[in-house]
Amino acid sequence: DFRNANYWDTLNGIRAKVEIPKEIKQISVSIKRLEKIIKTKSVQNLGLNLERVGALVNEMRQNLDTAQASLQSGDFESAREAMEFFHEGGHPGEIEGVIFGIKDLKNMLKQKRSSGAVSEIGRIIEEVSGLFNDGNYREARETLDEGRSGLMRLLNQRGSERR
């Protein structure tokens, strides 16, 4: 058992040396992109709590710096723990996806004339925005994904009814 545990510790250490630097680089790029996005006028006019996102971006940077420092010092366990933040709902790409999803829905809202589609889009936007503003970014993304698929079914159904 001891040899087995030692083997896995060694293997995880090697994995950390290989995977974490790549992940740090990818997340760093995503953070920079998110910072640019939240500064644009079109995103600032969506009615989302971007101050909270800005604070989260600072927290992301701190976790990334901690992971980098731990990795450089050879403390792979601490590096993995710092990276858990991103795996548990603090990934910048997830937040970016919700922002763009809400933006897309608001654009759809401008184009749709059917009252059923308009009310459904409005409901999705309201629910997702509420979750986002409360800081529940993963739940907001999941709700957005579910809402979009339901909306597509509704739009396809209505499209086929008109034929």
Side-chain angles (χ1 to χ4, degrees):
D1 245 7
F2 172 75
R3 289 173 69 183
N4 234 359
N6 195 18
Y7 171 77
W8 284 112
D9 289 343
T10 304
L11 185 62
N12 283 332
I14 294 169
R15 273 187 52 218
K17 283 182 190 178
V18 173
E19 292 175 1
I20 292 177
K22 289 179 187 176
E23 195 173 2
I24 287 172
K25 187 176 180 180
Q26 291 170 341
I27 290 173
S28 180
V29 169
S30 293
I31 290 172
K32 288 176 188 169
R33 191 173 51 239
L34 181 60
E35 286 175 319
K36 285 181 185 177
I37 290 167
I38 63 176
K39 291 178 183 172
T40 63
K41 273 282 191 235
S42 63
V43 170
Q44 290 175 352
N45 293 332
L46 290 176
L48 299 174
N49 185 346
L50 298 178
E51 287 178 19
R52 178 176 256 164
V53 173
L56 183 61
V57 166
N58 290 334
E59 192 176 347
M60 288 176 187
R61 286 216 177 276
Q62 289 173 348
N63 277 295
L64 209 56
D65 291 344
T66 300
Q68 185 104 37
S70 297
L71 194 62
Q72 288 173 348
S73 72
D75 185 359
F76 303 116
E77 189 58 37
S78 293
R80 272 195 297 271
E81 287 173 12
M83 294 306 288
E84 282 300 311
F85 172 82
F86 300 103
H87 302 151
E88 294 174 356
H91 196 284
E94 196 160 48
I95 296 166
E96 182 183 346
V98 174
I99 290 171
F100 283 128
I102 290 172
K103 194 174 176 181
D104 289 345
L105 286 174
K106 287 202 175 200
N107 287 335
M108 283 177 74
L109 200 56
K110 294 175 187 174
Q111 298 169 357
K112 293 297 167 197
R113 301 289 178 238
S114 149
S115 63
V118 168
S119 66
E120 181 64 12
I121 293 169
R123 183 195 65 73
I124 296 168
I125 291 171
E126 186 177 320
E127 187 175 352
V128 171
S129 295
L131 290 166
F132 186 95
N133 289 337
D134 289 342
N136 299 321
Y137 305 111
R138 178 157 289 166
E139 194 174 338
R141 183 193 49 81
E142 290 169 354
T143 302
L144 179 66
D145 291 346
E146 291 168 8
R148 274 190 194 159
S149 81
L151 182 61
M152 290 306 134
R153 281 194 304 275
L154 175 73
L155 294 176
N156 287 337
Q157 182 181 28
R158 295 215 172 150
S160 64
E161 287 173 1
R162 289 183 184 157
R163 292 183 191 153

